[in-house]
Amino acid sequence: MVTTHRRSVLSDANDDGRAGGADGQHRTLADSATAVLHEAILTGRLPAGTPLRLNEMADLLGMSMSPVRESIRRLAALGLVEVVQHKGAWVMPLTVEDAVDTHETRVAMETALIERAATRFTAQDARRAEAALDEHVAASTRGDATAARRAHTEFHFTIYRAAGSRWLLRGLEPVWENSERYRFATVTPTGQNEERLREHRAILDACVAGDVAAAVAAVQVHIQHAADRVIGKMNTDAAAVPAARAAGHAPIGS
């Protein structure tokens, strides 16, 4: 039953076109395995703590263990998977402590990036960021979470690329990917979607205006609100478990 469930999980992850070759570009087997597992982890289809057994993953993905092993290595480099020699690999847990650390690190790195970006922002950067923001809104409206996530990432990284710092961008990537796991684990009410759009617009407007102080303030508020949503949800969920046990109900997933 577990194998059947995971086969469905990975099939769902592959349906978004990341690993299926919909863009017409050639991908190696390791690229394909990485794309499918990456999407499944970010969206919670492979929940925190899920063991990633090479033979099982290879069977489910329809390939040998070698490309799967390489994909797990890549995901470990992004901080999404933990690998312990002679013990195996599993999806990294989600904890309040890690969520706090992740968002504090984002504040430090994204502040440094936007300070530079706001002084170098061009009309072309603005058009690209605007297009990504429009796509994020459209995808969210039609309920396409995968497309919305990609557009959200493209919006932020379009701005940060304007900073011209290769190393800051490379350093931010694993932190951002980990942050996305927490964002997917948080259900955002409609009112908060509108709030997030205002925050994104404030970030973009400040960059277009070349207002460094406003850009820094806007991105810090945006990240802090994201952290508040994530940590609030995790604390609420944690409090619900003993309450359910006290009432004589087993928590979901127990």
Side-chain angles (χ1 to χ4, degrees), residues 131-206:
L133 185 55
D134 288 346
E135 172 54 22
H136 175 57
V137 172
S140 298
T141 299
R142 66 177 181 265
D144 188 341
T146 298
R149 178 181 64 78
R150 291 180 189 166
H152 177 249
T153 297
E154 180 59 23
F155 169 76
H156 280 278
F157 276 75
T158 294
I159 291 173
Y160 299 150
R161 280 193 293 270
S165 174
R166 180 168 64 99
W167 289 107
L168 275 173
L169 278 175
R170 289 181 66 176
L172 177 61
E173 183 180 359
V175 183
W176 179 272
E177 296 289 353
N178 198 49
S179 177
E180 288 291 270
R181 291 181 68 208
Y182 286 98
R183 193 167 69 84
F184 257 101
T186 306
V187 177
T188 304
T190 303
Q192 290 183 2
N193 278 332
E194 294 171 357
E195 178 185 50
R196 290 175 61 204
L197 176 58
R198 288 193 296 270
E199 292 170 3
H200 285 135
R201 181 64 61 190
I203 293 169
L204 180 55
D205 289 347

Side-chain angles (χ1 to χ4, degrees), residues 42 89 93:
L42 285 190

Side-chain angles (χ1 to χ4, degrees), residues 77-126:
L78 285 175
L80 302 180
V81 169
E82 183 172 9
V83 179
V84 177
Q85 192 171 12
H86 306 308
K87 290 187 177 181
W90 49 87
V91 180
M92 286 289 288
L94 297 174
T95 67
V96 170
E97 292 77 15
D98 182 62
V100 170
D101 189 25
T102 296
H103 287 87
E104 287 180 347
T105 303
R106 277 192 60 190
V107 168
M109 300 188 77
E110 291 177 53
T111 293
L113 281 162
I114 206 160
E115 281 179 339
R116 300 187 190 190
T119 65
R120 305 180 180 196
F121 214 62
T122 67
Q124 185 177 42
D125 294 328

